[in-house]
Amino acid sequence: MDPQSQTLAMILESADPAPFETLIGHLMSSSNDQRSAAESLFNLAKQSDPNSLSLKLSHLLINSSLPDLRAMAAVLLRKLLTRDDSYVYPRLSPHSQSVIKSILLTALQREELKTIVKKLCDTVSELASGILADNGWPELLPFMFQCVSSDSPKLQEAAFLIFAQLAQYIGDILVPYIKELHGVFAKCLGGPSGWGTASGDVKIAALNAVINFIQCLSSSADRDR
């Protein structure tokens, strides 16, 4: 095993999160040499051990006390779970896939920093757009409806942000839920029983979701509703 592979194995196999946190931290380093070395290790991990890499990134989302590391982990995980040249999800074991989906929803509930919540929404949306059509994430839509019905403005906004992106990517998946969506949109955006206390941010997120959803409806009656 060459020295670089040995270093990577030590980082990925360590029960101590510090070496992996250092690697991710170095990806944000202002030192070109440090950043270049970290990028080389990260790319090697992506090719040789995507399971360990994806799981380590996921655990950073809920275990790291450093906001910069949680934000970077969300961005890096999104890139790994986006259907392009870096897409690793099909190469992950069923166990890894299940753990990552579960941690993403847990992180959405736990994270308090709005900028990171938005990055998590992007990550969830990217993954969902690639697997929802094949029933690859049956827990997601019930979770989102639970969020919009919750008393948490943070979770309400997060769910609407995800709905907006899904409507853009895979709107046909959402069409069977038009009655439920119409109900939550009407409630948020000011029907007779509207959320008088809904924050401006929640309403803006809901409005974005409505606009994207309307554009993916083929029935004029559905659009008029």
Side-chain angles (χ1 to χ4, degrees):
M1 188 183 288
D2 62 85
Q4 189 180 47
S5 297
Q6 285 180 328
T7 301
L8 179 62
M10 183 197 74
I11 293 171
L12 295 180
E13 292 169 11
S14 174
D16 179 2
F20 187 74
E21 290 187 351
T22 299
L23 171 65
I24 301 306
H26 284 178
L27 289 172
M28 301 180 279
S29 173
S30 57
S31 161
N32 285 337
D33 290 344
Q34 207 169 59
R35 194 172 61 253
S36 178
E39 287 171 353
S40 180
L41 280 173
F42 187 87
N43 288 330
L44 179 61
K46 195 162 57 177
Q47 296 302 318
S48 64
D49 195 352
N51 278 288
S52 296
L53 177 62
S54 302
L55 290 172
K56 288 273 190 182
L57 285 171
S58 300
H59 283 107
L60 272 188
L61 296 173
I62 54 173
N63 293 328
S64 177
S65 60
L66 301 174
D68 285 351
L69 283 183
R70 297 199 305 275
M72 188 64 166
V75 170
L76 293 171
L77 198 56
R78 174 179 58 78
K79 290 179 178 178
L80 293 179
L81 301 177
T82 298
R83 284 199 165 194
D84 60 16
D85 293 342
S86 298
Y87 190 46
V88 303
Y89 190 78
R91 294 167 54 202
L92 303 181
S93 70
H95 172 73
S96 296
Q97 292 175 349
S98 177
V99 169
I100 289 166
K101 289 183 289 187
S102 175
I103 287 178
L104 282 171
L105 300 188
T106 299
L108 267 180
Q109 294 173 84
R110 288 189 190 175
E111 182 58 61
E112 294 300 328
L113 289 180
K114 190 165 190 168
T115 54
I116 301 179
V117 170
K118 288 190 172 182
K119 287 179 171 61
L120 286 167
C121 290
D122 291 341
T123 304
V124 168
S125 301
E126 286 287 358
L127 175 57
S129 70
I131 64 175
L132 265 188
D134 299 322
N135 198 33
W137 201 347
E139 305 86 1
L140 180 61
L141 291 178
F143 170 81
M144 289 164 63
F145 281 115
Q146 186 181 336
C147 286
V148 294
S149 304
S150 74
D151 296 327
S152 165
K154 179 196 80 174
L155 290 178
Q156 291 167 2
E157 183 183 7
F160 283 130
L161 289 171
I162 296 169
F163 273 128
Q165 292 195 56
L166 292 184
Q168 204 169 7
Y169 297 150
I170 49 167
D172 53 319
I173 299 295
L174 299 179
V175 173
Y177 298 91
I178 184 168
K179 287 184 179 178
E180 294 91 338
L181 285 168
H182 179 265
V184 296
F185 290 147
K187 187 177 179 184
C188 179
L189 293 170
S193 59
W195 296 334
T197 58
S199 73
D201 287 342
V202 172
K203 289 181 177 178
I204 289 169
L207 187 58
N208 272 329
V210 168
I211 290 167
N212 286 355
F213 189 52
I214 288 171
Q215 292 181 79
C216 71
L217 295 172
S218 55
S219 157
S220 60
D222 287 343
R223 289 196 299 271
D224 290 344
R225 180 195 293 192

